[in-house]
Amino acid sequence: MTVSIASSPRPFLHPRPGSALHCGKVSLDALARRFGTPLYVYSADQIVERLSLFQQALKGREPLVCYAVKANSALAILKLLADRGAGFDIVSGGELERVLAAAPQAVERVVFSGVGKTAAEIDLALKSGILQFNVESEAELALLAERATKLKKHARFALRVNPDVFADTHPYISTGLREHKFGIDIRHGLRIYKSVAGHRRLEAYGVSVHIGSQIRSAEPFGAAIARVSKLVGQLRSEGIALQAIDAGGGLGIDYHGGAFDAAAKVREYALALESGLGGFEGRLLVEPGRFLVAQAGALVARVLQVKRNGKKTFVITDAAMNDLIRPALYQAHHDIVPVTPRAGRPRLVDVVGPVCETGDFFAHDRKLRPVEPGDLVALLDAGAYGMAQSSNYNSRPRAAEVLVEGTRARLIRRRETMADLLGPERV
Ligand SMILES: *Cc1c(COP(=O)(O)O)cnc(C)c1O
């Protein structure tokens, strides 16, 4: 596969003016006819390219890029990344099962984050032999010690510390302040590591930090790592030598389709980490989610109706908030483009789904080229936290997913049927 680092931030382009939008070499119009809508389409080439940006930029550090599974947990995407050396950041036993199903050999590159791990989840992870538990409280550390002792398993852990660094992002996805539920106040780190030093089953392997998501500036990452490095230095002088620093995820993308050089962004991020790391010589783990998959994905929907209510025009699509909840949940912006452009001036419209909620919208007062019922539109940058946060609300079967690799497209998740939805229920 050719990796063109300088390529466009999005793999969705019109090859010629007036032609249908393509993902790489594959027409979205053809995909929609073949697989139906709503349809998630992902570019494997871009996902691979983004992974390699991190691997390249951090090369001097023996890096392990642990893809954050929660951003998009499709088995085919996990396999794609595992085959190229990625590890995984998981936040549940279910995500661990996904890694085991897609790429069992990658389990030794798994880190397990999350504020509320159950004993059963910890047991599964211990038996599977994951790399590291990112521990978020003293109580969790005690539980990990108890389970590891019971199962006679070795547990490598990192305390997830809270560096008290402010990251300018949406409040729902900011996590690095003392008032958030995540992590352990960094001021308690030294005491807690010391409290388990010499434990038979616990190995203080690293320290981790994750300050939030969709962070556009590199600066807070550097600030957080600098605080973490300081702790690592204090630990070393107390005889506790950690092997790894896990810098978490959170690097943001541009949802407005502006000039965006992904390679430069990752280099800038790597430089910020580097400056924060100081003299630390161990392993560096990073946990990007969104940055690897967001721009690689689009949600393709068909226009059902174009409806005028008073002064407003509503474009009603067959995709809805159950397919992509980000606009409703975070007031997130997704660029929307007609797949096959029609002549005519752009008009201000609301793009909405058929779900019975006023919150079921993709865009308010958006300039959109003319569309008519039956036309296709693509919601861009939908590869992260799209399908992963989808639901069956309004008894809507989940969308199908297609992965485009070069000139080939393959179905990686079939569309759900009503039988899938009704199966678990009893009258
Ligand atoms: C969500 C999450 C990530 C990934 O965040 P992105 O913004 O998608 O890069 C990484 N690590 C942890 C602990 C997370 O909770």
Side-chain angles (χ1 to χ4, degrees), residues 357-423:
E357 297 264 354
T358 302
D360 181 24
F361 66 91
F362 294 126
H364 291 310
D365 296 323
R366 183 70 64 83
K367 257 190 173 163
L368 192 71
R369 298 280 295 272
V371 290
E372 289 178 18
D375 286 3
L376 294 167
V377 292
L379 291 104
L380 300 179
D381 308 321
Y385 307 104
M387 186 65 174
Q389 295 194 38
S390 66
S391 77
N392 293 121
Y393 188 40
N394 277 213
S395 285
R396 291 167 51 86
R398 279 189 182 76
E401 293 175 290
V402 165
L403 188 66
V404 175
E405 302 174 277
T407 55
R408 238 182 45 158
R410 74 188 164 93
L411 190 65
I412 57 168
R413 192 183 206 269
R414 67 161 170 79
R415 185 172 306 287
E416 281 179 348
T417 64
M418 274 317 292
D420 293 326
L421 269 66
L422 298 180

Side-chain angles (χ1 to χ4, degrees), residues 54 66-71 89-91 111-114 134 136 160 173 175 182 208-215 221 246-252 286-293 384-385:
F54 281 90
C66 293
Y67 167 64
V69 172
K70 73 176 190 285
D89 171 55
I90 59 165
V91 292
V111 302
F112 191 175
S113 303
N134 287 351
E136 301 220 12
R160 171 168 173 186
I173 51 178
T175 59
F182 299 98
S208 80
V209 69
H210 172 73
I211 55 174
S213 197
Q214 183 53 13
I215 299 164
F221 296 106
D246 177 346
L251 188 59
V286 291
E287 306 169 347
R290 184 191 315 271
F291 203 90
L292 297 191
V293 293
Y385 307 104

Side-chain angles (χ1 to χ4, degrees), residues 172-228:
Y172 286 7
I173 51 178
S174 177
T175 59
L177 285 180
R178 222 167 270 152
E179 69 208 50
H180 294 136
K181 71 177 176 183
F182 299 98
I184 295 170
D185 189 330
I186 194 161
R187 295 171 302 180
H188 301 312
L190 185 59
R191 174 179 62 75
I192 299 172
Y193 278 104
K194 279 166 80 174
S195 75
V196 292
H199 191 283
R200 254 187 92 201
R201 300 289 173 190
L202 292 183
E203 178 190 350
Y205 183 75
V207 57
S208 80
V209 69
H210 172 73
I211 55 174
S213 197
Q214 183 53 13
I215 299 164
R216 296 293 311 279
S217 140
E219 196 269 332
F221 296 106
I225 286 299
R227 292 186 187 185
V228 165

